[in-house]
């Protein structure tokens, strides 16, 4: 409906409208006396309606043609209805319109005109001046809701996809590569053989709450994750802080526009870590003070979009940040809509109820490619799909059992039948897009006979009972959700391993797995910064058990040593050699059965432009526009 402004005829009111002097035009005393009212309708050149947007001029023409209502534009740009077209004459006394009696035939015309005007206004019911129209709103359909919007707590794609629109770090990845470019820092340099990093900050940047971004906000953003007992610490332990920021020994703020980090040891990927969506974005200290432990539900950053509302397990709405320091977003409103059903997501896209979706079912890839209304974005991803073993518990504390399980699964056939063109078979825990990838490792051969022999050797000649924990929704690395668990269960039954599938929704599932539930579990990993350190160290180094990133509880001194040396080495060739060696060790130990590498898939309508997926899976939606 048209809100806040209106038209009144006689004693029939469609609202009230202030006159230029701040007083109200008053209605007449009877049906044959009336006070003509000018109605301020809008200042913008278009009206937003449920069915679309229409121009102000279109409404003017329609009104004149149908009922003879004339429009005029005041100096302030407001459009007003001039009711003199109904035979009215206005006299002003102290800003209040007076009326004269209208002859019966003019009165009849006026009533008819009013009735037609009422129909006109009803036609545009749902239109709100200044509201955001369909062409300025992007609806993103996805399978699950975000868990957290505090960057210190984020450990999943659904949360990242939203938070990366709200927050920024000192640096960011270029739009189509994992090369780093300036963001909240304009320049930087290293000193003391890589032990000191100095960043010079961008001036004039504001947080969404209007407070200034400066070196103190950077210090608070990092120290709240690193220092125990910090008064602004997140509601629970930060899952990424140890990995992304744990090498920092001291943070100094020489002035408002300079931040200095002293490291415990030289750390080659430090700059790449600062571009990650978890732990590294800068948050508003005042926002932290205001919202406390509920900051995750009221995030305040410097990014191109601002949180407007969050209905849990339904939708998150963001609005454009009009004070954004960089290129202003082309879209005024982003809606992240939870659509759990894969069929519904595709239907929403095809019927234009959604502009962009992820979690595309494999069987829909080819049909969507063929649709003239849809464009499919498909890129080899930096993700691994795996079946994890709890290496600290029987029977998976035995390497022979882990290799037996992996040998009992026909990974190549599994990938071909379940994913079509949405995944590639894996031969290593590190995807091919990373430097240091070991392409010489052989793909695990499907061999039930070998599996049975290894089980017998480990003391399980008749197999055993176990559980497979899984999630109920598609993931970027596993497009079919629970179906993967069902197929694995079928393969394992052939070698005497009898399984029960425990399924849960994504949020509860991730919480349970992080708490150590499940001996066999399906999960995956998506690279955050394009560096192997973010894959191999965070997943398999024993120091990450306490952070719930090494979910396998895998501990191997040889692996730890190689991975630590690789992160402290500056020479790229030497780092590649060390990661190559680490993959050999992990292949022999098999803390997980690496199944497939994911493809990054998005589908969007063809009236959407500027959708580009970064190799790390990042998506800058402020560059997207609708035709």
């Amino acid at each position: 409906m048209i809100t806040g402004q209106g038209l009144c005829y006689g004693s029939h009111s469609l609202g009230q409208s202030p006159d230029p002097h701040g007083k109200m035009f008053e209605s007449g005393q009877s049906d044959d006396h009336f006070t003509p009212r000018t109605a301020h309708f809008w200042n913008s050149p278009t009206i937003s309606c449920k069915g679309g947007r229409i121009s102000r001029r279109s409404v003017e023409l329609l009104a004149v043609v149908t009922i003879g209502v004339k429009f005029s534009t005041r100096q302030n740009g407001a459009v007003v209805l001039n009711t003199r077209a109904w035979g009215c004459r206005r006299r002003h006394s102290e800003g209040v319109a007076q009326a004269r009696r209208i002859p019966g035939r003019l009165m009849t015309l006026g009533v008819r005109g009013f009735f037609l005007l009422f129909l006109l206004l009803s036609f545009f019911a749902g239109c709100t001046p200044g509201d955001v129209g369909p062409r300025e709103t992007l609806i993103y359909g996805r399978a699950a809701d975000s868990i957290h919007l505090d960057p210190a707590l984020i450990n999943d794609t659904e949360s990242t996809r939203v938070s990366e629109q709200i927050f920024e770090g000192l640096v960011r990845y270029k739009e189509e590569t994992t090369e780093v470019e300036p963001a909240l820092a304009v320049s930087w340099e290293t000193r003391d053989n890589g032990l000191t990093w100095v960043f010079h900050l961008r001036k004039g940047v504001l947080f969404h709450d209007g407070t200034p971004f400066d070196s103190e906000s950077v210090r608070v953003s990092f120290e709240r994750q690193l220092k125990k007992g910090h008064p602004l610490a997140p509601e629970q332990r930060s899952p990424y802080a140890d990995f992304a920021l744990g090498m920092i020994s001291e943070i100094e703020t020489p002035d408002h526009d300079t931040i200095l980090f002293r490291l415990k040891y030289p750390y080659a990927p430090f700059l790449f870590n600062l571009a990650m969506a978890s732990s590294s974005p800068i948050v508003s200290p005042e926002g932290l003070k205001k919202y406390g432990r509920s900051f995750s539900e009221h995030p305040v950053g410097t990014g191109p979009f601002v949180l407007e509302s969050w209905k849990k397990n339904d939708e998150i709405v963001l609005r454009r940040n009009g004070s954004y320091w960089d290129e202003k977003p082309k879209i005024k409103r982003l809606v992240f809509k939870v659509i759990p059903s894969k069929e519904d997501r595709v239907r929403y896209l095809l019927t234009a109820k959604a502009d962009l979706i992820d979690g595309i079912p494999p069987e829909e890839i080819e049909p969507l490619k063929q649709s003239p209304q849809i464009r499919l974005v498909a890129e080899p991803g930096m993700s691994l799909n795996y079946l994890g073993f709890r290496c600290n518990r029987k029977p998976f504390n035995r390497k022979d059992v882990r290799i037996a399980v992996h040998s009992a699964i026909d990974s190549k056939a599994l990938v071909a039948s379940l994913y079509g063109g949405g995944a590639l078979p894996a031969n290593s825990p590190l995807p091919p897009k990373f430097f240091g990838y070991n392409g010489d490792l052989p793909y695990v051969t499907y061999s039930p006979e070998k599996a049975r022999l290894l089980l017998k050797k480990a003391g399980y000649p008749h197999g055993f009972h176990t559980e497979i924990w899984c999630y109920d929704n598609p993931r970027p690395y596993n497009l079919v959700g629970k179906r993967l668990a069902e197929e694995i269960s079928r393969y394992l039954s052939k070698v005497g391993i009898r399984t029960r599938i425990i399924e849960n929704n994504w949020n509860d599932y991730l919480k349970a797995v992080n708490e150590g539930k499940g001996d066999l579990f399906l999960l995956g990993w998506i690279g955050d910064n394009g560096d192997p350190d973010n894959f191999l160290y965070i997943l398999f180094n024993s120091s990450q058990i306490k952070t719930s990133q090494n979910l396998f509880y895998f501990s191997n001194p040889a692996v730890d040593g190689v991975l630590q040396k690789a992160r402290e080495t500056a020479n790229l060739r030497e780092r590649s050699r060390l990661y190559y060696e680490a993959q050999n060790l992990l292949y022999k130990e098999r803390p997980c059965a690496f199944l497939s590498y994911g493809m990054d898939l998005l589908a969007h309508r063809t009236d959407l432009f500027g959708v580009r997926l970064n190799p790390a899976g990042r998506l800058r939606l402020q560059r997207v526009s609708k035709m």
Side-chain angles (χ1 to χ4, degrees), residues 213-482:
F213 159 76
D214 57 16
S215 59
E216 179 64 14
S217 59
V218 179
R219 186 183 65 79
V220 169
S221 296
F222 289 176
E223 287 187 349
R224 66 184 287 254
Q225 302 176 69
L226 296 172
K227 290 190 173 183
K228 291 183 179 179
H230 193 283
L232 300 176
E235 60 182 282
Q236 61 195 58
R237 184 184 178 88
S238 175
Y240 260 90
D242 183 71
F243 167 79
L245 310 173
M247 69 295 302
I248 298 173
S249 64
E250 188 178 354
I251 301 175
E252 299 177 13
T253 55
D255 55 55
H256 289 302
D257 305 316
T258 308
I259 190 83
L260 183 149
F261 300 101
R262 298 194 187 278
L263 306 188
K264 301 172 185 175
Y265 48 81
Y267 178 63
F270 184 62
L271 192 63
F272 294 95
N273 282 13
L274 295 182
M276 288 165 48
S278 300
S279 285
S280 297
I282 310 305
V283 303
S284 164
E286 291 304 313
L288 291 171
K289 294 173 186 176
K290 179 177 180 179
Y291 296 111
R293 293 299 180 95
S294 65
F295 180 79
S296 186
E297 298 175 358
H298 305 279
V300 184
T302 62
F305 292 95
V306 182
L307 179 70
E308 185 173 289
S309 62
W310 185 359
K311 297 178 183 177
K312 292 293 180 72
N313 297 312
D314 182 6
E315 67 178 25
I316 294 175
V317 180
L318 309 182
R319 71 174 185 273
R320 180 166 64 185
N321 177 8
S323 302
Y324 187 49
W325 62 268
D326 199 0
E327 178 185 350
K328 298 293 189 295
K330 295 178 173 60
I331 294 292
K332 287 187 177 180
R333 180 169 291 155
L334 293 178
V335 179
F336 292 88
K337 182 70 177 176
V338 177
I339 311 171
S341 163
K342 60 184 180 181
E343 293 83 9
D344 285 346
R345 280 195 302 281
V346 173
R347 180 171 56 81
Y348 268 56
L349 183 67
L350 292 173
T351 57
K353 291 183 179 178
D355 302 296
L356 172 69
I357 65 169
D358 59 21
I360 301 162
E363 64 271 18
E364 294 291 347
I365 292 175
E366 284 304 316
L368 287 174
K369 281 183 180 179
Q370 303 304 317
S371 173
Q373 298 175 316
I374 306 300
R375 183 173 292 118
L376 194 70
V377 180
E379 297 287 341
M382 295 196 301
S383 63
L384 173 70
N385 180 28
Y386 64 75
L387 176 67
F389 308 118
R390 301 289 192 185
C391 300
N392 61 332
R393 303 177 195 162
K394 292 181 179 181
F396 301 110
N397 61 336
R398 296 289 301 270
K399 179 173 67 174
D400 288 336
V401 173
R402 302 195 295 266
I403 295 175
V405 169
H406 201 174
S407 300
I409 301 169
D410 190 345
S411 297
K412 286 187 176 181
L414 202 63
V415 170
S417 64
L418 291 182
Y419 303 130
L424 299 170
N427 71 317
S428 164
L430 186 69
K433 291 194 78 169
F434 288 87
F435 73 85
Y437 163 71
N438 189 341
D440 295 329
L441 289 175
Y443 289 90
V444 173
T445 303
Y446 172 53
S447 177
E449 296 79 13
K450 179 181 178 180
R452 292 188 191 96
L453 288 173
L454 288 171
L455 289 174
K456 184 177 181 180
K457 179 183 176 183
Y460 300 95
H462 305 295
F464 52 84
H465 289 273
T466 190
E467 296 174 341
I468 300 177
W469 283 58
C470 72
Y471 39 89
D472 63 357
N473 60 288
R475 306 292 301 149
Y477 40 78
N478 173 23
L479 300 175
V480 298
K482 181 184 177 183

Side-chain angles (χ1 to χ4, degrees), residues 408 446 448 452 488-498:
Y446 172 53
R452 292 188 191 96
I488 289 174
S489 178
R490 183 175 61 84
Y491 276 115
L492 296 184
S493 68
K494 296 178 181 179
V495 297
I497 300 176
R498 298 164 295 282

Side-chain angles (χ1 to χ4, degrees), residues 134 413 525:
W525 186 260

Side-chain angles (χ1 to χ4, degrees), residues 66-77:
T66 56
I67 57 176
V69 178
K70 295 180 181 179
F71 288 78
S72 61
T73 304
R74 292 192 175 154
Q75 189 173 5
N76 65 1

